[in-house]
Amino acid sequence: MEQSTGGGYHGIPRWIYAIAAAGGLFVLLPLAAMAARVNWPQFIPLITSESSLTALGLSLRTSAASTALCIVFGVPLALVLARSTFPGQRLLRAFVLLPLVLPPVVGGIALLYTFGRQGLLGRSLEVAGIQIAFSTTAVVLAQTFVALPFLVVSLEGALRTAGGRYEAVAATLGARPTTVLRRVTLPLVLPGLASGAVLSFARSLGEFGATLTFAGSLQGVTRTLPLEIYLQRETDADAAVALSLVLVAVAVTVVGLTYRRPGTPGRRSVLEGPGLAGAGAEGAGLQGSAAGGRPGGTR
């Protein structure tokens, strides 16, 4: 039976709910099975051991650093892909999104042959006394490589959804491209940028294959939480399960904060964000500046 709520169409066949429930169980049952195997009496000692805390702290630090790099590289990439047209644009998008489908170990090998001692750039860096492979820097680069597409996809989608109307108005009123970017574009797509950054952080936190291949597994240097779980699985299954649950809890929290409903009190949706809410005020300010700067304009 078709249903309508708030003027929107929400008619979903009942059999769709059955398939959706099966899909949800497919994801939830393995997590429930893992939670059932946790040694709860020893849970706190297992996750607070020195090696576990060291790995968790390293994961959080490197994930934060890789997220910052994703923002630095991802925002310009998303802007170029969403706001411009040029030969080879589809090819650039394909290469930027390649890590989404590429096996992480392949990405690790590619990074190793780029920044390793005998790599494309590694030899020059070695001469300068800079060693990247098998260091904490290598962990950050590996995480950035696999997490960057998440931010680009989220931000490019937000930019295309927002359109360029307000930017065009600001440019017509005399604002320079940098001013338009800073005062109109970025506030307009800030929720999309935040979502992409959080997803990049979550992906970095769970990175394994590229990190192991490019950075190795040195305790306190490159052994992140996923690597610690892998090693503990061979020697202490209870510790591996407990740490896995911690990683799941952190990831669920991060993703849950990203996907809170737009209508939640205290939060705004993309269309209600600071960009659109303040676009009128920004446009008025730009208009006043442009009018004041024109010959014959009123001051």
Side-chain angles (χ1 to χ4, degrees):
M1 181 177 179
E2 298 180 359
Q3 298 178 352
S4 177
T5 303
Y9 175 77
H10 296 280
I12 300 177
R14 292 183 178 180
W15 57 271
I16 291 292
Y17 287 102
I19 298 177
L25 288 175
F26 180 75
V27 175
L28 293 176
L29 279 179
L31 299 179
M34 182 180 64
R37 293 295 301 271
V38 173
N39 185 358
W40 292 108
Q42 296 296 319
F43 180 75
I44 299 300
L46 288 172
I47 66 173
T48 56
S49 65
E50 182 179 356
S51 60
S52 300
L53 292 178
T54 300
L56 178 60
L58 180 64
S59 291
L60 293 175
R61 292 194 302 272
T62 55
S63 296
S66 63
T67 302
L69 281 179
C70 286
I71 293 174
V72 171
F73 296 137
V75 171
L77 277 171
L79 285 167
V80 168
L81 291 173
R83 289 288 190 263
S84 62
T85 302
F86 54 90
Q89 184 176 19
R90 290 186 177 182
L91 186 61
L92 174 61
R93 181 181 288 105
F95 279 118
V96 170
L97 302 182
L98 188 61
L100 286 175
V101 296
L102 199 67
V105 66
V106 176
I109 291 175
L111 290 170
L112 186 62
Y113 282 105
T114 302
F115 297 103
R117 288 186 175 182
Q118 303 300 319
L120 184 64
L121 301 178
R123 295 178 181 179
S124 300
L125 294 173
E126 188 76 16
V127 172
I130 302 174
Q131 183 176 350
I132 294 180
F134 305 103
S135 66
T136 304
T137 302
V139 177
V140 175
L141 292 180
Q143 292 175 343
T144 303
F145 183 82
V146 300
L148 180 61
F150 289 86
L151 188 138
V152 174
V153 168
S154 297
L155 186 55
E156 184 185 358
L159 284 165
R160 293 187 180 279
T161 301
R165 293 171 298 170
Y166 293 103
E167 296 162 321
V169 170
T172 302
L173 295 174
R176 295 182 177 181
T178 302
T179 302
V180 174
L181 174 65
R182 179 174 55 87
R183 300 183 62 181
V184 180
T185 306
L186 290 182
L188 190 66
V189 298
L190 190 58
L193 176 59
S195 296
V198 173
L199 289 176
S200 296
F201 179 85
R203 179 63 184 89
S204 297
L205 198 63
E207 166 51 32
F208 175 80
T211 302
L212 182 62
T213 306
F214 180 44
S217 180
L218 304 175
Q219 185 173 4
V221 180
T222 64
R223 187 177 299 171
T224 56
L225 192 57
L227 295 177
E228 179 68 17
I229 292 171
Y230 179 77
L231 293 175
Q232 291 287 0
R233 184 182 63 89
E234 301 292 337
T235 58
D236 190 348
D238 288 342
V241 173
L243 291 174
S244 298
L245 189 63
V246 171
L247 193 57
V248 169
V250 173
V252 168
T253 301
V254 169
V255 176
L257 290 175
T258 306
Y259 282 99
R260 290 176 64 180
R261 291 184 302 174
T264 303
R267 290 180 62 91
R268 293 178 177 178
S269 67
V270 174
L271 296 180
E272 298 170 342
L276 285 178
E282 296 290 351
L286 291 169
Q287 185 176 14
S289 299
R294 290 197 200 102
T298 57
R299 293 182 179 271

